[in-house]
């Protein structure tokens, strides 16, 4: 009835978050052993939470479990015509594993394989009520002819009788019905007992215009109809109709209102008169299957009462605060908490009445006083749930009294006396059962031993004295709960869905208490013992493999202390590798190393080491021989240094993180007579120092005590020029450690002796030291190529121009023109200086109004003298290229103002490139040398859009699309060999073989050729899309007269699902989204489908044969009549055959079967004046573009079977794949893959697929 009832939607709750087992990185890790609760969960296969909940309920039904175990192995494994009775066998094994196997979760894969389920059933959500009936039916069919053939009937079968009694002759007409579960309404009732009362106690009266024809009176008479329970099963299953359909809104919804149910119930009032004792009608609740979510998706879990006490119950870890017991006296009733009153109507009314000095309130003023008390009126807050306020007061006569002829209301004296010592919170809890829609029927003032006390309701959390406890089994998770938690499942999106009761007379034997192996067959016990042994072995092997670490041993004799760290004596020194179990103590590791080093003498210390830029440093020494390596922090790949714990080759070594060395670069003035290392005039050397060392100690170790220690000053601007700045470390900084100064590896220190402070190279100004480059290094090389593109050295003019960091670049250019003698050549012609990168590309011109240092130009580098203007302060330099040109074409160079708009820049680039037209836009090349996003905001300046100096702009052909352009993948499929002409909306293909190819392309996957991608605005029309598709390079040779000769299919999962129609429709209205896949098909005639037209491939059956004539394309106007009658009428006009002589079916390619489409009209009752037309485009047919429709002419063809021999062969192949999957082999299962990055165009729900379990015939 409800298609897609449990399919997950955007707001639904999937099973993925509820215990779905995923491999992750520990694919081979065995299941962990059971926890302290001692109960096992069930792994979710993707969407099998409904199956898990039902299986746990059956497992904790001891009588069902024991009767299943009582089935002999020989009678289940006996080979018959239908094979082994695999379903009960796998169910036995699963139950045995859940009871005895030492793992936290069990797998249902073998059981679902025995059902004949594929991956589709295992990952799809279904209804647990439907599964309950199908599973019982499958078990009955599987156990035919065995000792357990009546298992289901004995435990769950009951009967009810419908009786109609004539009020004149008292004749009773009755009809008996069998049931395995009772389905009760939720809508409009407050709880289970009210629903049972309306079903089995209340009578329906036939009178007035609705009379009953009595068989004895032989005329229409007044009568009454009632139903009664005749036979009660030992286990009563109650299914709650939580899902309904709103015919006004035409949508499904879930009933989330309060629906209560008792822990124990007496069914005697709902049964026929019987001589049985009352105990035979008493039932107790032991399982509640709960559904969380909405009508389109959700998750199941189950609350279960542990009858046999197999689990270990522990109090839930919750911060439970004891509530203060406040004695409520009549004069203090107005002190109730306002928050409680806002949710509790009785508490609010009591407070209003109690605060009045007279103790009573006028009835017509009660509503106004209530609003002043809680801030909301009765009609707005409580009327919907409790009805009018006067009705509420009358229904609570034990609390309220109407006096003065009903004009005033006061408190009942009996209520005041009874509750003078009652906790206010307890009174609020009693109130929860008072309304018509509230949960429990708890009457105020009922004595514990009264008649109503026999119905046990859910209390306030005290655990039962019987010792039975409740658990929440949520797939892989098992959690102890309290009885009061069941009360939370009365209403809401997470609420009870199925209830399971057992007779109170069913008593368990003492041997079953706490004994999971009770009545488990010996062969299953042996199987569990073997599996437990294998599990234990796997865990030991896994623990050993996961705890094995590889260690690298560094031996002290092969190392020396240098630069504050350990360095190998020889370059050939390599560590010794070994593998060790990190669970073992340090003493075992030390003994192993001793045995490996026969020549070792004296003490041996093992210290954790780490490679640093300065060398090997030692950290923690493993001193406690009893400590495990894991506790000591030893991990895989750890370095251990083997030494005596004091010194290495006679040098004492400091250990610990505080002595961790940092590698510093030390610069000092070059000594006279030494060979210059570089042109800077400074000597560089690397030294390692412990971070705990102060800067004063560093100076003491490096050189003269009077030397100045300087740190390089970080400059905000670009690095360039001929001078560097250093900051002299203050006296306070000299007392700080290297760690406090945050010095890192590679940082540089300048050590300046006092004798060099007056040197021309070093300039000291306060605490700032400037190091000038020596005179022989103060130059810039300026080159000029005589001919563009010549790279030979002799073809270039080159001069060294003296310069310093403060020299202006304009002076450098003028000096270069003079020395190169180029004044006449560049007379009146602008020129500039440019740098060149490593790839030989000229960089943007440098700004000549800046100095060498400010421009970021380093001394002793080259500049190139090039024709062209230099940059000004407000200008930027751009490289430009055209996207249609080859990459070998030289880039254009352009200097523009940074305040220029994007549109103005575009016009400049078009003019510089020599292009015409306005169909161009700009894109910016990113750092990966790839064309990036277009510059959309044409009115913004280049500076505002982030265009900087030296960027590359790409001139791209095409109108700039607005925001929201689409990138669509395009495939091409051409029916080149067919000739078709439209005849009354039909295109007939002349080539039969080509027709079959087209059919297969539409059903099993599109056989198109990838052509590339198009980028187009979502506001573009379908005709624009067709035109742009034809501009793809792969389709340049395809000749298409007009866009009407193209048909565009939308692909989903490589299947053609919909034709895009309406050439003037925008892609946004056609629901084409970015990433969609399209397939374009060339037609032999023009086509312009309407919005309601459906393109079908119609195939007429060959009379007397299981074959079809060649298919033809049929355009069906579904806008006139979308029902099956309209389809039959259109096909009747096509073939000239009356609709009654036609039989139509839709082909299902996934299953290779045909679904008949029936031409019949549902009878409409007199009450329904208008009935909504059932469209074949909806459930269950879902007719779409490209579907194959088979047609039979019943005048000449008596065979009503649509399947062909090819269909049977394909079905046989599918069955073989299923059989191989059952046997554990993984056959070649074809899986449709979607293009990476693809998004679906529309959210279309799948049709509801009925749940089924395949069972052989055992007769």
């Amino acid at each position: 009835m409800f298609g897609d009832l449990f399919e997950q939607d955007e707001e639904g709750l999937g099973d993925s978050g509820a215990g779905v087992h995923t491999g992750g990185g520990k694919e081979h890790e065995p299941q962990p052993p059971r926890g302290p609760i001692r109960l096992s969960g069930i792994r979710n296969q993707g969407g099998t939470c409904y199956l898990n909940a039902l299986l746990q309920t059956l497992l904790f039904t001891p009588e069902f479990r024991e009767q299943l175990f009582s089935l002999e192995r020989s009678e289940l494994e006996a080979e018959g015509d239908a094979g082994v009775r695999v379903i009960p066998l796998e169910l036995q094994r699963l139950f045995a594993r859940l009871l005895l196997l030492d793992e936290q979760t069990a797998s249902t894969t073998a059981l679902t394989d025995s059902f004949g389920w594929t991956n589709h059933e295992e990952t799809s959500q279904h209804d647990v009520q439907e599964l309950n009936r199908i599973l019982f039916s499958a078990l009955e069919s599987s156990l035919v002819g065995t000792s357990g053939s009546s298992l289901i009937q004995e435990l769950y079968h009951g009967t009810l009788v419908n009786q109609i009694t004539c009020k004149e002759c008292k004749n009773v007409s009755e009809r008996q019905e069998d049931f395995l579960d009772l389905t009760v309404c939720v809508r409009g009732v407050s709880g289970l007992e009210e629903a049972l009362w309306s079903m089995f106690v209340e009578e329906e009266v036939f009178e007035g215009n609705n009379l009953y024809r009595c068989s004895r009176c032989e005329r229409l008479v007044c009568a009454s109809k009632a139903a009664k329970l005749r036979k009660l099963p030992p286990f009563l299953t109650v299914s709650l109709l939580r899902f309904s359909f709103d015919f006004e809104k035409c949508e499904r919804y879930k009933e989330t209102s309060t629906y209560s149910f008792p822990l124990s119930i007496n069914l005697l009032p709902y049964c026929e008169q019987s001589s049985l004792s009352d105990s035979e009608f008493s039932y107790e609740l032991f399982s509640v299957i709960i559904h969380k979510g909405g009508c389109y998706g959700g998750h199941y879990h189950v609350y279960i009462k542990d009858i046999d006490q197999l689990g270990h119950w522990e109090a839930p870890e919750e911060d439970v605060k004891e509530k203060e017991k406040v004695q409520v006296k009549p004069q203090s009733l107005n002190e109730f908490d306002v928050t409680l009153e806002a949710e509790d109507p009785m508490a609010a009314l009591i407070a209003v009445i109690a605060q009045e000095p007279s103790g009573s309130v006028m009835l017509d003023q009660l509503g106004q006083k209530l609003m002043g008390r809680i801030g909301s009126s009765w009609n707005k807050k409580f009327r919907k749930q409790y009805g009018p306020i006067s009705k509420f007061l009358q229904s609570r006569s034990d609390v309220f009294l109407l006096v003065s002829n009903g004009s005033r209301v006061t408190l009942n004296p009996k209520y005041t006396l009874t509750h003078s010592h009652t906790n206010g919170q307890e009174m609020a809890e009693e109130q929860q059962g008072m309304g018509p829609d509230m949960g429990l029927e708890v009457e105020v003032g009922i004595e514990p031993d009264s008649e109503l006390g026999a119905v046990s309701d859910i209390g306030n959390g005290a655990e039962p004295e019987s010792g039975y406890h409740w658990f929440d089994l949520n797939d892989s998770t098992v959690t102890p709960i309290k009885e009061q938690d069941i009360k939370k499942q009365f209403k809401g999106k997470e609420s009870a869905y199925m209830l399971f009761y057992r007779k109170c007379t069913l008593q368990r034997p003492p041997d079953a208490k706490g004994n999971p192996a009770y009545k488990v067959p010996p062969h299953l016990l042996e199987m569990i013992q073997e599996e437990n042994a294998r599990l234990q072995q796997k865990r030991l092997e896994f623990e050993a493999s996961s705890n094995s670490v590889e260690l690298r041993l560094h031996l002290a004799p092969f190392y020396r202390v240098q630069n504050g760290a350990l360095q190998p004596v020889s370059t050939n020194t390599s560590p010794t590798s070994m593998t060790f179990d990190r669970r073992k103590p340090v003493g075992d590791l030390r003994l192993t190393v001793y045995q490996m080093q026969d020549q070792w003498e004296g003490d041996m210390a093992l210290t954790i080491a780490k490679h640093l830029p300065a060398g090997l440093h030692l950290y923690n020494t493993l001193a406690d021989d009893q400590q495990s390596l894991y506790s000591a922090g030893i991990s895989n790949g750890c370095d251990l240094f083997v030494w005596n714990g004091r010194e290495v080759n006679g040098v004492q070594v400091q250990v610990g993180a505080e002595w961790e060395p940092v590698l510093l670069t030390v610069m000092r003035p070059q000594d006279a007579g030494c060979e210059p290392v570089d042109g800077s005039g400074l000597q560089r050397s690397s030294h390692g120092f412990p971070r705990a060392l102060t800067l004063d100690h560093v100076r003491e170790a490096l050189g003269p005590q009077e030397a100045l220690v300087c740190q390089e000053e970080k400059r905000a601007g670009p690095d360039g020029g001929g001078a560097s700045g250093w900051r002299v470390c203050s006296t306070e900084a000299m007392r700080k450690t290297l760690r406090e100064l945050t010095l890192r590896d590679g940082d540089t220190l300048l050590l300046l002796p006092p004798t060099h402070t007056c040197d021309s190279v070093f300039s000291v100004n306060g605490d700032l030291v400037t190091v000038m480059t020596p005179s022989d290094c103060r130059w810039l090389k300026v080159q000029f190529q005589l001919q563009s593109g010549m790279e030979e050295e002799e073809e270039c003019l080159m001069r060294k121009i003296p310069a310093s960091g403060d020299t202006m670049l304009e002076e450098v250019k003028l000096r270069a023109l003079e020395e190169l003698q180029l004044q006449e050549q560049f007379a009146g012609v602008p020129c500039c200086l440019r740098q060149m990168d490593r790839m030989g590309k000229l960089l943007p011109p440098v700004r000549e109004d800046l100095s060498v240092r400010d421009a970021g130009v380093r001394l002793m580098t080259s500049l190139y003298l090039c024709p062209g203007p230099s940059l000004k302060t407000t200008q930027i330099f751009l490289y430009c290229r055209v996207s249609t040109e080859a990459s070998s074409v030289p880039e254009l160079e352009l200097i523009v103002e940074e305040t220029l708009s994007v549109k103005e820049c575009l016009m400049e680039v078009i003019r510089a490139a020599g292009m015409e037209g306005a169909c161009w836009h700009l894109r910016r090349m990113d750092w990966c040398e790839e064309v990036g996003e277009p510059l959309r905001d044409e009115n913004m300046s280049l500076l505002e859009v982030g265009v900087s100096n030296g960027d590359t702009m790409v001139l791209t052909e095409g109108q700039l699309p607005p925001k929201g352009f689409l990138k669509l993948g395009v495939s091409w499929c051409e029916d080149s060999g067919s000739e078709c002409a439209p005849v009354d909306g039909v295109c007939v293909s002349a080539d039969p073989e080509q027709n079959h190819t087209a059919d297969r392309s539409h059903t099993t996957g599109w056989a198109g050729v990838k052509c590339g991608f198009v980028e187009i605005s979502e506001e573009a029309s379908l005709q624009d899309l067709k035109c742009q598709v034809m501009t793809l390079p792969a389709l340049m040779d395809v000749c298409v007269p007009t866009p009407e000769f193209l048909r565009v299919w939308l692909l989903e999962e490589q299947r053609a699902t919909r034709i895009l129609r309406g050439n003037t429709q925008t892609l946004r209205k056609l629901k084409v989204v970015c990433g969609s896949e399209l397939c374009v098909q060339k037609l032999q005639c023009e086509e312009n489908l309407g919005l309601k037209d459906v393109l079908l491939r119609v195939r007429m059956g060959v009379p007397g044969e299981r074959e079809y004539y060649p298919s033809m394309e049929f355009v069906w106007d579904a806008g006139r009549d979308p029902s099956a009658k309209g389809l039959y009428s259109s096909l009747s006009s096509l073939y000239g055959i009356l609709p009654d002589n036609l039989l139509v079916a839709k082909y299902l390619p996934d299953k290779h079967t045909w679904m008949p489409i029936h031409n019949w009209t549902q009878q409409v009752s007199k009450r329904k004046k208008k009935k909504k037309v059932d469209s074949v485009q909806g459930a269950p047919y879902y007719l779409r573009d490209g579907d194959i429709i088979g047609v039979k002419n019943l005048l000449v063809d008596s065979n009503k079977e649509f399947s062909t021999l090819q269909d049977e062969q394909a079905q046989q192949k599918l069955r073989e794949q299923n059989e191989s999957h059952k046997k554990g082999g993984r056959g070649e299962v074809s899986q449709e893959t979607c293009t990476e990055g693809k998004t679906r165009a529309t959210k279309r729900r799948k049709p509801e697929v009925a749940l089924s379990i395949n069972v052989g015939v055992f007769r």
Side-chain angles (χ1 to χ4, degrees), residues 352-616:
V352 170
I353 298 173
Q355 70 182 0
E356 293 294 320
S358 62
S360 63
V361 180
M362 294 290 295
L363 189 60
D364 55 355
Q365 297 179 2
L366 183 60
Q368 183 177 359
K369 292 182 179 293
L370 178 66
M371 179 183 294
R373 178 77 179 183
I374 65 175
S376 180
S377 65
W378 175 274
N379 291 339
K380 184 177 180 180
K381 186 71 176 179
F382 304 114
R383 183 183 178 91
K384 184 177 180 180
Q385 187 173 4
Y386 298 97
I389 189 171
S390 58
K391 182 179 179 180
F392 179 82
L393 295 173
Q394 293 172 4
S395 64
R396 303 308 302 153
S397 59
D398 53 345
V399 181
F400 306 100
L401 284 181
L402 295 177
V403 295
S404 302
N405 296 326
S407 62
R408 302 183 69 89
V409 59
T410 183
L411 294 178
N412 193 327
K414 294 182 179 179
Y415 172 82
T416 305
L417 181 62
T418 305
H419 288 73
S420 60
H421 300 287
T422 302
N423 185 296
Q425 179 65 28
E426 293 175 350
M427 185 178 64
E429 292 177 356
E430 292 175 354
Q431 167 60 17
Q432 295 183 8
M434 296 178 183
D437 293 330
M438 299 303 288
L440 299 170
E441 299 182 0
V442 180
E443 296 290 338
V444 177
I446 292 179
E447 297 297 329
D449 54 351
S450 64
E451 181 180 357
L452 289 177
V455 180
S456 174
D457 292 311
I458 299 169
N460 57 2
E463 287 308 305
E465 298 179 358
S466 59
Y468 299 127
H469 297 290
W470 287 82
F471 294 90
D472 177 13
L473 290 94
N474 190 347
D475 286 342
S476 301
T477 307
V478 181
T479 309
I481 61 172
K482 296 182 179 180
E483 279 188 357
Q484 66 175 359
D485 294 332
I486 304 175
K487 187 177 180 180
K488 300 176 183 178
Q489 310 304 327
F490 284 175
K491 62 179 179 179
K493 285 192 174 181
E494 183 177 7
S495 51
Y497 193 62
M498 288 188 74
L499 309 175
F500 296 84
Y501 287 87
R502 56 182 285 123
K503 278 191 175 183
C504 296
T505 56
L506 296 175
Q507 299 296 326
R508 300 294 297 148
D511 295 343
K513 300 294 183 181
N515 182 13
Y518 183 70
K519 290 194 176 181
V520 178
H523 70 279
L524 292 179
L525 292 175
E526 183 179 354
M527 178 195 74
I528 295 300
Q529 290 177 358
E530 295 175 356
E531 292 187 5
N532 278 330
R534 287 195 297 268
L535 265 176
Q536 185 64 21
Q537 182 64 27
K538 287 182 179 179
R539 290 182 185 130
L540 293 175
E541 295 174 355
F542 178 79
E543 286 292 328
S545 62
S546 61
N547 285 286
S548 296
V549 292
E550 184 176 352
L551 306 177
R552 292 189 293 267
L553 302 180
H554 303 266
L555 304 179
F558 300 99
Y559 283 83
R560 64 183 177 185
V561 180
Q562 183 180 357
N563 269 344
L566 295 172
Q567 304 288 348
V569 176
S570 172
T571 56
N572 298 326
T573 302
S574 60
T576 303
S577 298
M578 66 175 296
T579 302
F580 204 77
D581 192 341
R582 62 176 180 172
R583 293 173 297 179
K584 293 185 178 181
V586 175
D588 291 359
L589 175 62
R590 194 189 314 274
L591 180 60
T592 304
V593 176
Y594 260 123
Q595 295 173 354
M596 293 173 58
Q597 304 297 324
D598 297 336
Q599 305 298 327
W600 189 274
E601 295 181 358
D603 298 335
M604 175 182 287
L606 301 178
T607 305
I608 300 176
K610 182 180 179 181
H611 283 282
L612 299 175
L616 194 68

Side-chain angles (χ1 to χ4, degrees), residues 856-869:
V857 178
R858 291 184 176 274
L859 296 179
M860 298 183 296
T861 59
S862 297
L863 292 175
Y864 292 83
L865 189 63
C866 302

Side-chain angles (χ1 to χ4, degrees), residues 816-856:
L817 289 174
E818 181 181 351
E819 294 194 9
L820 294 173
Q821 300 179 0
L822 297 175
Q823 296 94 332
E824 296 182 1
Q825 183 173 347
F826 285 101
V829 179
C831 61
C832 61
L833 294 175
R834 304 175 66 175
Q835 293 178 299
M836 184 178 290
D837 63 7
R838 297 179 180 179
M839 304 301 295
K841 179 181 178 180
L842 287 173
L843 299 178
V846 296
R847 286 176 52 187
E848 297 177 2
D849 58 337
L850 299 178
S851 65
V852 173
R853 182 184 299 107
D854 294 338

